[in-house]
Amino acid sequence: MKYIAGIDGGGTKTRCLLGDTRGEVLGEGLGGPSNPVSAGMEEARCSLEEAFFQACTRARIPPEGTCLAVVAGLAGGSTQEVQQEVGKALREITGAEKVQVTTDLHIALEGGLPPGPGIIVIAGTGSSALGRDGAGHLARAGGHGPYLGDEGGGYWIVKTAVARILRERDRTGVPSPLELALEKGKQKDLSWPRFFAQAPPGEIAALAPLVLERAEKGDPWAGEILERAGKELARLARDVAARLFGAAPPAGLAVAPLGSILARFAGVRRAFQAALDAPPPFQILEPKADPARGALLLARKLALA
Amino acid sequence: MKYIAGIDGGGTKTRCLLGDTRGEVLGEGLGGPSNPVSAGMEEARCSLEEAFFQACTRARIPPEGTCLAVVAGLAGGSTQEVQQEVGKALREITGAEKVQVTTDLHIALEGGLPPGPGIIVIAGTGSSALGRDGAGHLARAGGHGPYLGDEGGGYWIVKTAVARILRERDRTGVPSPLELALEKGKQKDLSWPRFFAQAPPGEIAALAPLVLERAEKGDPWAGEILERAGKELARLARDVAARLFGAAPPAGLAVAPLGSILARFAGVRRAFQAALDAPPPFQILEPKADPARGALLLARKLALA
């Protein structure tokens, strides 16, 4: 039997979908982290193998089946070096001749939007946006990491809140209500500067729901920070549009919001929507399908090419 | 012979001054890093020993001389735990009974200002301010480290510039003149996000003179960033004044600017001055003496107490 594979590889888990050449899903498998930059090439390879073989078992694909094409979208998959190394590993694992390794953003765009021009904006721990024009050209904005960018993401929300409460404590000498709320989420013995110097970005971003909670209780600082987050995420979409279409992007351009911050933080979502309603207005679309499905769509194109 | 010792201990070097009880300097010694947080307690102890014994040799103080009092101001010296450990080490090294361990900011304040109320603002890699009211009470602002604060310091200047150029590249797709200037100072093979994730803050702050150079050539972004830096540093002084004197600090309060950024970056200094000229106006004083001298002044008070 002939089949294709689409893989979504992230910093904590890997998902593999197998499909037939019409794009119907045959089975799914899961593996560990496969971001080769953070997890290392060896662990990434193991996770890809795990996810692929589990999917084969579940899809009841026998060993003599032929994998026509594989597309993997990986966090950390933007450099040529990584793409070549992972590509080689995937050829060995799957036996496929046609293999393409791309970024997690690219497969999210394919999965999230209908064919044609459009932009996805992702806000999780970090933030970034990727868009496509009518000819299939891609442009990206953001994703500059926790120290230089990631505006509107979870890490940025927490960092902005803590910077604000420390400034206020400089002036008044007493902790603000927002500080007391955030203290609950922090390991007790670390000062804020030490916490930020030692904890990984994901652990810091995990405090973002405490900012949301304060905003929902009417805390004006927390509310302002979420509003700024939404505006910054809308800016990413406008930056991508400027790159793809110049000074006058078409009105009604599709924008799909992705990631936990845009999905669950109502204040962020509201400000994002308002900023994209301004002229020229964009059209917000709910994401059509998940990134692994996007990888499968790309694998189908690759198989038929 | 009876003498006293003042020590200025930083992340790269340690300076020890010996003096007589009138405060006259008898000799000086140098040692390695003695920030116990970054260098570790063992290395800090060695550096303190090195600086002290070198100063004794140069001051021709015989081993039977009596050290009456030691004051050490250390970077990383703000916690009780560090103060007790370093205090014990200094008693063993110097044989002094009266030993006080405090922060590098505290001795800088003692050295930098004449007696009475006043504030010092320091901007090097980081930034912070410390002030004293007429009764000797101290209040501090800033010093929250590279991820949450340090506004106006060298790291902040470079980080703000790089964040700005990355945003601009998102929008236009081409590097700005400021980016090309900063690229010269960066290790070649690292992207900006990786450089910021890997290089220590001091190495990043070392690029600040490239921002200064661009500002002097009329680059509007570089000029704006330096202006914001000066305003932020003035804000630190006003925050300290608010803590010490409440809503209405006395006009003409002395403020001494310290550190390389306030000394050498003309645009920063200008904006700092302008912000402190606003009502209520502060009076900018050139620092009277260096931090080691401040430690010696405190040691004299301790000996006479």
Side-chain angles (χ1 to χ4, degrees):
Chain A
M1 121 154 261
K2 288 175 174 176
Y3 64 98
I4 57 176
I7 298 174
D8 173 18
T12 54
K13 68 174 204 283
T14 300
R15 214 169 139 232
C16 176
L17 289 182
L18 299 185
D20 61 24
T21 50
R22 291 165 311 164
E24 291 299 310
V25 173
L26 303 170
E28 176 181 347
L30 287 176
S34 61
N35 175 337
V37 178
S38 61
M41 192 53 213
E42 211 168 321
E43 188 174 0
R45 190 197 164 105
C46 283
S47 301
L48 292 166
E49 214 160 24
E50 193 184 354
F52 175 75
F53 287 123
Q54 194 181 91
C56 286
T57 308
R58 294 200 180 153
R60 295 170 194 271
I61 289 173
E64 65 274 19
T66 303
C67 184
L68 294 173
V70 182
V71 171
L74 301 186
S78 62
T79 64
Q80 232 177 11
E81 193 191 340
V82 163
Q83 292 175 356
Q84 280 172 358
E85 269 199 86
V86 175
K88 186 164 166 282
L90 284 172
R91 254 182 293 273
E92 289 166 9
I93 294 167
T94 66
E97 261 179 44
K98 291 178 167 178
V99 171
Q100 186 192 351
V101 179
T102 183
T103 64
D104 51 343
L105 272 174
H106 186 191
I107 61 170
L109 177 78
E110 287 298 323
L113 288 173
I119 296 168
I120 54 160
V121 177
I122 305 186
T125 294
S127 70
S128 54
L130 182 73
R132 187 173 58 194
D133 68 11
H137 299 126
L138 301 177
R140 179 177 170 169
H144 303 308
Y147 311 113
L148 294 166
D150 282 353
E151 293 92 343
Y155 180 94
W156 179 92
I157 287 172
V158 176
K159 180 187 72 174
T160 304
V162 174
R164 174 87 192 240
I165 63 193
L166 291 178
R167 267 180 171 207
E168 190 62 14
R169 189 139 53 78
D170 276 351
R171 215 173 51 79
T172 64
V174 294
S176 57
L178 184 55
E179 176 163 7
L180 295 174
L182 283 168
E183 281 288 344
K184 286 189 300 180
K186 197 184 64 173
Q187 285 170 291
K188 261 194 188 138
D189 286 351
L190 287 178
S191 67
W192 285 114
R194 285 205 163 188
F195 180 61
F196 273 75
Q198 290 173 16
E203 197 178 319
I204 291 168
L207 302 187
L210 297 172
V211 180
L212 176 65
E213 211 175 271
R214 284 297 305 168
E216 284 170 349
K217 285 182 180 156
D219 186 312
W221 295 354
E224 263 169 43
I225 289 164
L226 297 189
E227 199 182 320
R228 269 181 62 200
K231 281 185 191 164
E232 292 284 353
L233 294 169
R235 178 185 58 79
L236 288 178
R238 290 197 181 271
D239 283 349
V240 166
R243 291 276 292 286
L244 290 171
F245 304 99
L253 191 63
V255 175
L258 293 166
S260 57
I261 300 292
L262 278 163
R264 290 186 226 136
F265 284 57
V268 176
R269 185 59 178 261
R270 248 191 326 267
F272 179 73
Q273 183 114 27
L276 292 179
D277 281 345
F282 292 66
Q283 177 198 3
I284 296 187
L285 290 188
E286 283 319 300
K288 205 166 50 81
D290 61 47
R293 192 65 189 246
L296 200 60
L297 288 171
L298 284 170
R300 183 164 179 251
K301 283 190 204 165
L302 191 61
L304 302 177
Chain B
M1 120 158 259
K2 290 176 175 175
Y3 64 98
I4 57 177
I7 299 174
D8 174 18
T12 54
K13 68 175 206 280
T14 300
R15 210 168 143 233
C16 176
L17 288 182
L18 300 184
D20 60 25
T21 49
R22 290 165 312 166
E24 291 299 311
V25 175
L26 302 170
E28 176 182 347
L30 288 177
S34 61
N35 176 337
V37 178
S38 60
M41 191 53 211
E42 210 168 323
E43 189 174 359
R45 190 197 164 105
C46 283
S47 301
L48 292 166
E49 214 160 23
E50 194 185 355
F52 176 74
F53 286 123
Q54 194 181 91
C56 286
T57 307
R58 292 200 180 154
R60 296 171 194 271
I61 288 173
E64 64 274 20
T66 303
C67 185
L68 295 173
V70 182
V71 171
L74 301 186
S78 63
T79 65
Q80 233 177 11
E81 194 191 340
V82 162
Q83 291 174 358
Q84 279 172 359
E85 269 199 86
V86 174
K88 185 163 166 283
L90 284 173
R91 255 184 292 275
E92 289 166 10
I93 293 168
T94 65
E97 262 179 44
K98 292 177 167 179
V99 171
Q100 188 192 350
V101 180
T102 184
T103 64
D104 52 341
L105 272 175
H106 186 192
I107 60 169
L109 177 77
E110 287 298 322
L113 287 174
I119 296 167
I120 53 161
V121 179
I122 305 187
T125 294
S127 70
S128 54
L130 183 72
R132 186 173 58 193
D133 68 10
H137 299 127
L138 300 178
R140 180 178 167 169
H144 303 308
Y147 311 114
L148 295 167
D150 283 353
E151 294 92 343
Y155 180 93
W156 179 92
I157 287 172
V158 176
K159 179 188 72 174
T160 305
V162 174
R164 175 88 192 240
I165 62 193
L166 290 179
R167 266 179 172 209
E168 190 62 14
R169 188 138 54 79
D170 276 352
R171 213 172 53 79
T172 63
V174 294
S176 56
L178 183 56
E179 175 164 7
L180 296 174
L182 282 168
E183 280 288 343
K184 286 189 300 181
K186 198 184 62 173
Q187 284 169 290
K188 261 193 188 140
D189 287 351
L190 288 177
S191 67
W192 284 115
R194 286 206 161 186
F195 180 62
F196 272 75
Q198 289 173 17
E203 196 178 320
I204 291 167
L207 302 187
L210 296 172
V211 180
L212 175 64
E213 210 176 273
R214 283 299 303 167
E216 284 171 350
K217 284 184 180 154
D219 186 311
W221 294 356
E224 263 169 43
I225 289 164
L226 297 189
E227 198 181 321
R228 269 181 61 201
K231 281 184 190 164
E232 292 284 354
L233 295 169
R235 178 184 59 78
L236 287 179
R238 290 195 181 272
D239 282 351
V240 166
R243 290 275 293 285
L244 291 171
F245 303 102
L253 192 63
V255 175
L258 292 165
S260 57
I261 299 293
L262 278 163
R264 289 185 227 137
F265 283 57
V268 177
R269 184 60 177 262
R270 247 192 325 268
F272 179 73
Q273 183 115 28
L276 293 178
D277 282 345
F282 292 66
Q283 177 199 2
I284 295 186
L285 290 186
E286 284 317 302
K288 205 165 53 81
D290 62 47
R293 192 64 189 247
L296 200 61
L297 288 170
L298 285 169
R300 182 162 179 251
K301 283 190 204 165
L302 190 63
L304 301 177

